Amino acid sequence: MKILKPKLHSAECIIKAEKPVLTKDDIPYDASLIFNAGVAKYKGKYIMVFRNDYGPTEKTYPKVRFKTSLGLATSDDGINWKVSEKTIFDNKNLLPEDEIKRLYDPRITVIDGKPYLCMAMDTHHGVRGCIAEIDDNFEKINIISASAPDNRNMVLFPEKINGKYVRLERPFPVYSRGGKDRFDLWLSTSPDLVFWGETELVLAVEDVPYANDKIGPAAPPIKTDKGWLTVFHAVDIDNKRRKNGWERTWKKRYCAGIMLLDLNDPTKVIGMSKLPLIAPETYYETQSGFRQHVIFPGGMILEDDGEVKIYYGASDTVECLATAKVEDLIALCTEKRK
């Protein structure tokens, strides 16, 4: 894998691939934007479930509406990917009377050898987060639970903690946070993946120096002997920003942050990097794509040699890869900065 040296505003331990690992040109069916994929190791292979928004072009957007499908790709090395000829889900196949309008932003967690998907779900009565079982061949989705409206960005921990399933989530309560974006990162537990409660705040927008709009979960956490290594997305708004992509104006920037949560009580933040882990800087993150200056991790894998692979969507257009050593990521969360 060729690499680019990161700039100073990103973590120096992060190595980014020179180019995206998956783009629309790799897809054997109608595809425009390939991003926000969930990635996991399963039965000796790397498995990726990616979001594909298709239909419009830069010239026809927003007059032409996006359709959304979920695609599957597999890899032997986590770098070179083969895309399945069939989609897992495509909202063009839904009926007008169906309550679900689309599924998107998948995250994969393997628990006790069984893969689960967490996804955002648009319905006719609000945005919801959902958890689904998926068969061994990653062909059939069975939704087993869905949140109340106005909750999304859910990720499952890869094992039970104190006998319960645990997930991170990001509700978006407009009224209780001043009538505007001010969305924080929360944690809930469940005895069975269906009924969720014991919800507690984990991290708030004001806790993150490079966020002023919202934060939320990113990839499912990975377990280390120091704690649950956890990436999250963080958004800042700058009204001086103008056109950055297909839209007439795009004033937001998405970065990836990293924190360490207590192994036995993951509502407790042991430490957090005060600087972004991954910030937009490459050409495909800042100069091209649908919504530029967007970094959104959806998969994180700890290899046997201590390397951590972090998969992220860039500019809501392509799927990318960054790597680092696990000990360096832990140090970012625990080191004292002046």
Side-chain angles (χ1 to χ4, degrees):
M1 179 177 67
K2 295 182 179 180
I3 61 173
L4 291 176
K5 184 179 180 181
K7 296 180 180 179
L8 293 179
H9 61 270
S10 276
E12 293 182 358
C13 67
I14 283 288
I15 297 174
K16 292 182 179 179
E18 184 180 41
K19 61 181 182 179
V21 294
L22 202 68
T23 75
K24 66 181 181 64
D25 296 330
D26 301 311
I27 313 304
Y29 42 81
D30 194 4
S32 298
L33 311 175
I34 305 299
F35 63 112
N36 291 7
V39 186
K41 265 188 170 179
Y42 183 65
K43 292 189 174 181
K45 282 187 173 290
Y46 296 83
I47 302 291
M48 177 189 293
V49 178
F50 58 86
R51 171 178 171 176
N52 169 34
D53 285 1
Y54 64 94
T57 64
E58 186 170 2
K59 292 183 178 180
T60 61
Y61 176 83
K63 293 181 180 179
V64 178
R65 292 193 174 193
F66 281 112
K67 293 288 187 181
T68 298
S69 67
L70 298 179
L72 173 67
T74 58
S75 173
D76 292 324
D77 59 9
I79 300 171
N80 301 290
W81 294 86
K82 181 180 180 181
V83 179
S84 173
E85 295 288 333
K86 296 181 180 180
T87 60
I88 299 173
F89 166 87
D90 196 322
N91 76 330
K92 73 179 181 182
N93 299 323
L94 297 176
L95 300 174
E97 60 267 26
D98 290 335
E99 174 64 11
I100 297 174
K101 296 168 62 178
R102 68 169 180 160
L103 300 171
Y104 56 102
D105 291 354
R107 327 284 174 85
I108 307 171
T109 304
V110 179
I111 305 175
D112 294 331
K114 187 173 183 178
Y116 296 90
L117 291 180
C118 290
M119 296 172 286
M121 180 171 70
D122 287 350
T123 77
H124 288 287
H125 297 89
V127 180
R128 307 174 70 183
C130 71
I131 298 172
E133 299 173 323
I134 188 163
D135 68 309
D136 288 348
N137 296 319
F138 278 73
E139 294 178 346
K140 296 180 180 179
I141 293 173
N142 176 39
I143 295 175
I144 58 176
S145 67
S147 71
D150 299 338
N151 198 351
R152 57 179 290 189
N153 292 133
M154 295 176 177
V155 298
L156 287 168
F157 283 69
E159 63 182 59
K160 290 182 179 180
I161 301 174
N162 300 319
K164 296 180 180 180
Y165 296 99
V166 182
R167 76 182 183 197
L168 299 174
E169 58 194 24
R170 192 212 69 190
F172 35 113
V174 174
Y175 288 110
S176 64
R177 290 289 269 160
K180 60 180 182 180
D181 281 14
R182 197 70 176 176
F183 308 146
D184 309 306
L185 192 155
W186 295 73
L187 178 147
S188 294
T189 66
S190 171
D192 56 7
L193 291 174
V194 177
F195 297 99
W196 291 87
E198 299 182 315
T199 305
E200 292 190 44
L201 178 67
V202 175
L203 193 70
V205 174
E206 57 267 26
D207 298 325
V208 181
Y210 44 93
N212 63 15
D213 179 52
K214 56 188 174 183
I215 63 170
I222 57 177
K223 190 176 186 179
T224 75
D225 58 356
K226 302 297 183 181
W228 292 103
L229 196 59
T230 307
V231 289
F232 58 90
H233 67 272
V235 184
D236 73 273
I237 293 178
D238 183 347
N239 288 325
K240 294 180 182 179
R241 296 182 184 127
R242 292 293 182 257
K243 180 172 173 60
N244 288 291
W246 294 14
E247 296 184 299
R248 294 181 63 184
T249 181
W250 178 247
K251 300 179 180 180
K252 296 181 180 181
R253 180 185 68 158
Y254 280 66
C255 292
I258 191 161
M259 61 182 171
L260 201 62
L261 304 179
D262 186 86
L263 285 175
N264 297 312
D265 183 2
T267 64
K268 295 181 179 179
V269 179
I270 297 173
M272 181 190 75
S273 174
K274 299 300 182 183
L275 296 174
L277 174 67
I278 307 175
E281 58 193 14
T282 68
Y283 176 84
Y284 52 80
E285 296 164 352
T286 63
Q287 301 297 315
S288 67
F290 176 58
R291 287 174 175 161
Q292 295 161 18
H293 299 280
V294 173
I295 298 289
F296 205 105
M300 185 164 59
I301 294 174
L302 175 59
E303 304 287 14
D304 292 338
D305 64 358
E307 181 187 68
V308 177
K309 288 183 172 69
I310 302 172
Y311 295 88
Y312 63 96
S315 295
D316 282 358
T317 305
V318 293
E319 187 65 22
C320 306
L321 171 64
T323 60
K325 288 295 184 181
V326 65
E327 61 265 26
D328 292 335
L329 297 178
I330 292 172
L332 286 176
C333 299
T334 57
E335 67 182 358
K336 302 296 182 182
R337 292 184 179 270
K338 296 181 180 180

